[in-house]
């Protein structure tokens, strides 16, 4: 399989996943509750939708960037890519589950946090594996300084540590912290976490 087919397939899965997020937003047209009240009461669904929308968007940006560093793919890279898509496709489910239980307390709310975190952690680990394999197997097309490679590993490794920490804080303090702390993490990946690494395009 060429890199183009891998990118096209991945883009398709990411596009479907990001679209399915909106299916969890709804209003009861026959309900006696005013529409404004319905929207206000469903704020967790809207907040989780926005958060997960941008998370998938960041995944897409980073996925495009990582594949731009290589001209070829091998079977292991395709396997790691499939693993990444496995978790991406489950993000709409994790988002809806978390939104349904975020205003509750007790075991169910904690379980919803764990479900959301499990999906995000799986995504983060598979993305790190994708990045690590590109450089460890010499698939990268450009000469990248060692310190830049280490910086890239730290960038993607951060999420693998951050998601469990966020879950632990949310379960110990307040499940709504998932929204707050993940937003802060997202801001990093929309800012410094998107800065391209230095490469020598002449080699």
């Amino acid at each position: 399989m060429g890199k183009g087919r891998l990118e096209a397939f991945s883009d398709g899965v990411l596009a479907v996943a990001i679209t399915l997020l909106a299916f969890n937003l709804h209003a009861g047209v026959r309900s006696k509750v005013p529409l404004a009240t319905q929207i206000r009461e469903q704020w967790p669904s809207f907040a989780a939708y926005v958060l997960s929308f941008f998370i998938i968007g960041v995944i897409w940006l980073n996925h495009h960037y990582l594949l731009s560093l290589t001209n070829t793919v091998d079977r292991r890279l395709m396997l790691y890519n499939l693993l990444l898509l496995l978790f991406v496709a489950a993000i709409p489910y994790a988002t809806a589950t978390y939104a349904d239980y975020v205003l509750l307390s007790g075991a169910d709310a904690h379980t919803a946090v764990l479900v959301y975190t499990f999906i995000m952690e799986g995504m983060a680990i598979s993305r790190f594996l994708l990045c690590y394999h590109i450089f460890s197997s010499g698939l990268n097309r450009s000469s990248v300084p060692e310190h830049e490679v280490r910086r890239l590993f730290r960038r993607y490794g951060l999420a693998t540590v951050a998601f469990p920490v966020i879950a632990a804080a949310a379960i110990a303090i307040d499940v709504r912290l998932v929204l707050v702390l993940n937003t802060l993490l997202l801001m990093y990946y929309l800012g410094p976490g998107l800065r391209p690494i230095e490469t020598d395009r002449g080699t």
Side-chain angles (χ1 to χ4, degrees), residues 67-101:
L67 290 184
S68 73
L69 297 175
T70 176
N71 283 325
T72 185
V73 298
D74 60 12
R75 288 186 178 273
R76 180 166 294 184
L77 188 142
M78 288 190 289
L79 177 62
Y80 291 149
N81 193 74
L82 279 176
L83 187 63
L84 174 66
L85 298 180
L86 170 70
F87 290 105
V88 168
I91 289 178
Y93 166 76
T95 302
T97 301
Y98 173 75
D100 287 341
Y101 288 92

Side-chain angles (χ1 to χ4, degrees), residues 9-26:
F9 177 69
S10 301
D11 285 349
V13 173
L14 287 162
V16 170
I18 208 168
T19 301
L20 288 176
L21 290 172
F23 286 10
N24 300 317
L25 307 176
H26 57 83

Side-chain angles (χ1 to χ4, degrees), residues 32-53:
K32 295 181 180 180
V33 179
L35 178 59
T37 302
Q38 292 185 52
I39 294 175
R40 185 169 60 252
E41 291 177 346
Q42 292 182 50
W43 73 261
S45 294
F46 287 99
Y49 162 76
V50 172
L51 175 63
S52 292
F53 181 94

Side-chain angles (χ1 to χ4, degrees), residues 101-116:
Y101 288 92
V102 66
L103 294 181
L104 303 179
S105 59
D108 286 343
H110 293 169
T111 300
V113 169
L114 293 176
V115 168
Y116 191 82

Side-chain angles (χ1 to χ4, degrees), residues 65 69 135 140 142-149 151-152 155 195-201:
Y65 174 67
L69 297 175
F135 289 97
N140 54 300
S142 304
S143 176
V144 182
E146 186 65 28
H147 72 277
E148 285 290 306
V149 174
R151 187 175 67 81
L152 196 61
R155 177 195 300 179
R195 186 172 72 85
I197 61 175
E198 300 175 2
T199 61
D200 181 4
R201 297 294 181 179

